[in-house]
Amino acid sequence: MYNMKCIIIKISDKINMSPSKYFIFSLAESTKKKIKWAYNLFNTWKTQRNAIAVADLSLNISIISPDLEVMTKDELCFALSRFICEIKKENGEEYPGQTLYEILINIQLYLEGKGKYFKFLNEDCFIQIKNTLDHTMKERASSGLGTHKKKAQEITYDEENMLWEKGILGNTTPQKLLDTTIYLFGLNFALRAGKEHRDLRWENSQISEHTDTNGDSYLVYREDVSKSNQGGLKSRKCKQKVVFAYENKDNPDRCIVKFYRDYISHCPEKRPKNAFYLKPIPKSTGQVWFATMPVGINMLTATIARLCKEAGLKGFRSNHSLRATAATRLYEDGQDEQLISEITGHKSKAVREYKRTNTEMKRKANQTINSKPSEQKKPRSELQINSAPSTFQVDGNNINITLQVNFGNSK
């Protein structure tokens, strides 16, 4: 039987929740962390600035007294404009323009959580903030700061082969089996970072195994919630991400279905319902290779970077590398952008951020720029179409028709 008292309490808690608290409650955990970081950054800057102002009056620095959430619009304009100009990293380096923008937006979100619904970049009363940010971003960009965005580098086929050949991926030990399952799931289902891995579960699992009419086995991943689809009102019309991963008959030793079955066979019967990845038992001698304790999100997030480092792969690698790899490989194969979006779960044209052109494509593009057109290809101005005479009959009479089209260079 259901505990009706418990259900009523949970429902009433949400009904009585203020709009601002419900707003914060509905945000993704990663967004909450960014908001907290931006808020603490502002307070630290304010405290240090006020200390300098008191210590040396000759500098004529205005003291900022009010707390952020009680500032008037004029006070916000002054404080945030100064903050954008003056804030620096702990090592004294300046923040890139894009980072400043994100800090400002997160402070705006913090104030929304306090019931202050301001739009710093849209309302005329905050034009000082907008102009300051715009000027500072242009200044930072002109000096080359932040113009090169750090993106997770995709994994090439050769690099992936290296991971297998060096024994970094495989199923000979509990840790390798876990790592490889994470790798194959991240690649085939284009999962984000560590959270989407951590959100996988045993009960009402997002992953299930099926067999088609030809007798081929495949896995289906059905996304429930994600960064772009959180299941709320804004996500009502979002198309659910559903990805199919078929067994690899060409290379069964690297088959995702095989590793899925293998991983399940080594998990204990009694396991947590809300987690899929379990901690490996280092020196397991029996059939059970994994404990009943879930792998933490930090360990999951660091998995791909650790594997690539172990293989000696250069560049910035993370779990997002697998997502980028999936999109890039589909792009290189000429797959339709709509299909790529369905697999990666991107909205609209955002998938293009993950489609990477490889070195060979860039080389060919540069050769096209620097080379003459192929001799086999004639310019359209020299196009000639000739047809042999064709004979048709109309009412018993023969009619000869000859088609000849010449396009010469027009002067």
Side-chain angles (χ1 to χ4, degrees):
M1 292 180 64
Y2 292 105
N3 188 335
M4 293 304 295
K5 184 177 179 181
C6 179
I7 293 173
I8 291 170
I9 290 173
K10 287 183 178 180
I11 293 174
S12 63
D13 283 348
K14 290 188 178 181
I15 291 175
N16 294 328
M17 192 180 292
S18 66
S20 58
K21 286 185 177 179
Y22 191 81
F23 168 77
I24 294 296
F25 175 81
S26 64
L27 293 176
E29 287 300 320
S30 58
T31 305
K32 291 178 185 177
K33 290 180 180 179
K34 290 177 183 177
I35 291 172
K36 184 177 180 181
W37 171 71
Y39 173 72
N40 290 337
L41 195 65
F42 176 83
N43 278 339
T44 301
W45 166 81
K46 190 182 83 166
T47 300
Q48 293 174 348
R49 188 180 197 276
N50 288 343
I52 294 172
V54 172
D56 191 348
L57 298 177
S58 65
L59 295 174
N60 198 26
I61 297 176
S62 301
I63 294 176
I64 300 174
S65 300
D67 291 333
L68 185 62
E69 53 266 32
V70 296
M71 287 184 182
T72 64
K73 290 183 178 180
D74 287 342
E75 289 170 335
L76 282 170
C77 270
F78 175 79
L80 291 176
S81 296
R82 292 291 89 214
F83 172 68
I84 291 168
C85 292
E86 298 173 7
I87 186 61
K88 292 185 179 181
K89 299 179 183 179
E90 290 183 0
N91 61 5
E93 294 179 359
E94 294 179 327
Y95 283 103
Q98 180 62 26
T99 305
L100 292 176
Y101 168 81
E102 292 173 1
I103 291 170
L104 181 65
I105 295 303
N106 281 304
I107 289 175
Q108 180 177 290
L109 290 174
Y110 170 80
L111 292 172
E112 284 186 34
K114 297 296 181 180
K116 305 279 188 176
Y117 300 98
F118 300 138
K119 299 295 180 185
F120 294 140
L121 303 180
N122 296 95
E123 295 182 43
D124 291 341
C125 59
F126 295 120
I127 190 66
Q128 182 183 352
I129 296 175
K130 181 179 179 179
N131 289 342
T132 302
L133 178 62
D134 183 56
H135 175 75
T136 307
M137 289 181 72
K138 289 176 180 177
E139 249 187 1
R140 304 285 164 89
S142 64
S143 64
L145 183 61
T147 54
H148 302 288
K149 294 182 180 179
K150 189 177 182 181
K151 293 182 179 180
Q153 188 175 335
E154 70 272 16
I155 298 171
T156 66
Y157 287 108
D158 289 340
E159 290 173 335
E160 183 176 302
N161 285 332
M162 187 188 298
L163 290 170
W164 287 101
E165 289 167 2
K166 286 189 173 183
I168 295 169
L169 295 179
N171 61 353
T172 55
T173 68
Q175 185 64 57
K176 284 183 183 180
L177 178 57
L178 175 67
D179 289 341
T180 308
T181 304
I182 294 170
Y183 182 92
L184 292 174
F185 280 10
L187 178 62
N188 286 270
F189 302 137
L191 300 181
R192 295 178 182 85
K195 188 176 187 305
E196 288 192 5
H197 282 279
R198 181 60 184 86
D199 287 343
L200 295 178
R201 56 184 181 270
W202 287 104
E203 188 177 73
N204 192 23
S205 182
Q206 300 96 324
I207 300 174
S208 55
E209 183 178 345
H210 305 267
T211 305
D212 65 14
T213 54
N214 296 322
D216 295 330
S217 299
Y218 63 96
L219 302 181
V220 177
Y221 169 74
R222 298 182 183 275
E223 181 182 81
D224 41 27
V225 293
S226 66
K227 181 181 178 181
S228 58
N229 181 6
Q230 297 184 29
L233 289 174
K234 291 182 179 179
S235 304
R236 285 185 304 115
K237 296 183 180 180
C238 287
K239 186 177 180 180
Q240 184 188 30
K241 172 180 170 179
V242 181
V243 185
F244 293 74
Y246 288 84
E247 58 181 321
N248 188 346
K249 291 186 174 181
D250 294 332
N251 199 342
D253 289 338
R254 302 182 185 183
C255 175
I256 185 174
V257 178
K258 175 181 177 296
F259 273 87
Y260 172 77
R261 292 171 180 166
D262 201 8
Y263 176 74
I264 289 177
S265 70
H266 287 295
C267 287
E269 289 186 12
K270 292 183 178 180
R271 51 205 178 209
K273 297 177 180 180
N274 64 343
F276 183 82
Y277 299 114
L278 305 177
K279 287 191 174 182
I281 301 172
K283 297 181 180 180
S284 177
T285 55
Q287 178 64 24
V288 177
W289 284 12
F290 301 95
T292 57
M293 186 178 298
V295 180
I297 187 171
N298 292 332
M299 292 293 292
L300 290 171
T301 301
T303 297
I304 303 305
R306 171 172 54 80
L307 298 181
C308 290
K309 184 179 180 180
E310 189 177 339
L313 302 184
K314 305 295 183 182
F316 173 56
R317 314 291 178 132
S318 70
N319 283 28
H320 253 95
S321 293
L322 297 178
R323 186 173 170 82
T325 300
T328 302
R329 291 181 182 180
L330 290 167
Y331 170 58
E332 291 176 356
D333 191 54
Q335 297 291 339
D336 184 76
E337 191 170 291
Q338 176 62 32
L339 176 61
I340 299 175
S341 295
E342 289 177 3
I343 292 174
T344 61
H346 283 96
K347 293 181 180 179
S348 183
K349 298 178 181 179
V351 69
R352 293 178 183 174
E353 286 292 322
Y354 284 88
K355 295 192 310 187
R356 314 289 169 82
T357 51
N358 60 29
T359 304
E360 187 58 30
M361 294 167 108
K362 292 173 181 175
R363 184 191 301 276
K364 287 181 179 179
N366 187 251
Q367 287 174 347
T368 301
I369 292 171
N370 291 284
S371 302
K372 292 181 179 180
S374 173
E375 292 182 0
Q376 287 78 14
K377 293 183 179 180
K378 293 186 177 181
R380 291 189 62 181
S381 58
E382 298 178 6
L383 180 64
Q384 294 184 350
I385 301 175
N386 294 293
S387 175
S390 299
T391 302
F392 299 90
Q393 282 194 347
V394 179
D395 296 330
N397 298 316
N398 291 332
I399 300 175
N400 293 327
I401 299 175
T402 301
L403 176 65
Q404 183 171 347
V405 181
N406 296 304
F407 291 100
N409 288 326
S410 58
K411 295 182 179 180

